[in-house]
Amino acid sequence: MAKNKNSTRSVNYTSDYARQQENIRKAKGNPNKNIHRKKNGSNYGGADYVARRQAQKEEEQNRPRRESVFDLTPTGRIIFIVMLVIVVVLMILGNSTLKGNPLANYLPSLMVGLICCFLAYNSFLNRSGKTPTTFQTVLKWVLAVFGVLYTLIGLSGLLGLISK
């Protein structure tokens, strides 16, 4: 006679199944263990842990932010990027498709002058309230001078084209 595979099983099938499922669950581990460590305000690491964590939070809040040379608002950044893209497009067109066109020679210089004036204007506003460094002061005046110079060159060229 052939052996019956089920003959070795105990009579109570459900308790074997339940025991097997419990063993599987125990083998996987408890997914909720150490959950108290993740709870807010717990001192799982002891008093030193809480003190270190508080010190880290205070250090992050008091850390000085990296300052940029130009204190631009988000709107100012958008305006600057748009003007910069216009200058790049005008220069590419002036050196390729519109080569020899006098209008393509004067528009980029006018736009560069306007960008310099815009940056100088923003640095003269000094919204941060801090005293500017020597580098920022020199850069502010250089931008103002070159902004006026390039704007005048671009405008005089455009006015010369209109008057012809």
Side-chain angles (χ1 to χ4, degrees):
M1 261 198 313
K3 288 188 175 182
N4 188 356
K5 293 181 181 177
N6 293 332
S7 66
T8 58
R9 277 201 179 148
S10 66
V11 177
N12 193 354
Y13 175 72
T14 56
S15 67
D16 282 347
Y17 180 75
R19 191 177 315 121
Q20 183 182 13
Q21 291 301 317
E22 186 179 352
N23 289 339
I24 290 172
R25 184 185 59 79
K26 286 180 180 177
K28 286 182 180 177
N30 186 357
N32 296 323
K33 72 178 181 181
N34 289 337
I35 192 72
H36 59 278
R37 174 183 227 177
K38 298 174 187 172
K39 287 184 181 174
N40 191 13
S42 70
N43 62 350
Y44 184 75
D48 293 338
Y49 173 77
V50 174
R52 269 188 279 125
R53 188 146 180 170
Q54 284 294 99
Q56 284 176 350
K57 284 182 182 179
E58 289 177 10
E59 181 183 330
E60 287 175 6
Q61 290 174 354
N62 295 336
R63 185 179 300 153
R65 289 179 40 206
R66 194 183 86 178
E67 292 188 26
S68 63
V69 176
F70 304 107
D71 187 26
L72 294 176
T73 62
T75 308
R77 289 184 188 120
I78 292 171
I79 292 170
F80 175 72
I81 290 172
V82 167
M83 291 173 74
L84 199 62
V85 167
I86 291 172
V87 167
V88 170
V89 168
L90 285 174
M91 287 186 168
I92 290 172
L93 288 176
N95 288 324
S96 60
T97 308
L98 302 174
K99 196 167 197 144
N101 188 350
L103 186 64
N105 292 334
Y106 296 118
L107 280 178
S109 64
L110 176 66
M111 288 302 296
V112 168
L114 290 177
I115 288 175
C116 289
C117 288
F118 175 73
L119 291 175
Y121 171 74
N122 273 317
S123 16
F124 276 111
L125 285 180
N126 192 13
R127 281 185 287 282
S128 65
K130 298 178 183 177
T131 57
T133 63
T134 307
F135 174 73
Q136 288 174 330
T137 306
V138 169
L139 184 64
K140 173 177 34 177
W141 285 103
V142 168
L143 281 172
V145 168
F146 280 104
V148 170
L149 181 70
Y150 272 98
T151 304
L152 287 177
I153 289 171
L155 282 177
S156 66
L158 290 176
L159 289 176
L161 288 176
I162 292 172
S163 66
K164 282 186 180 181

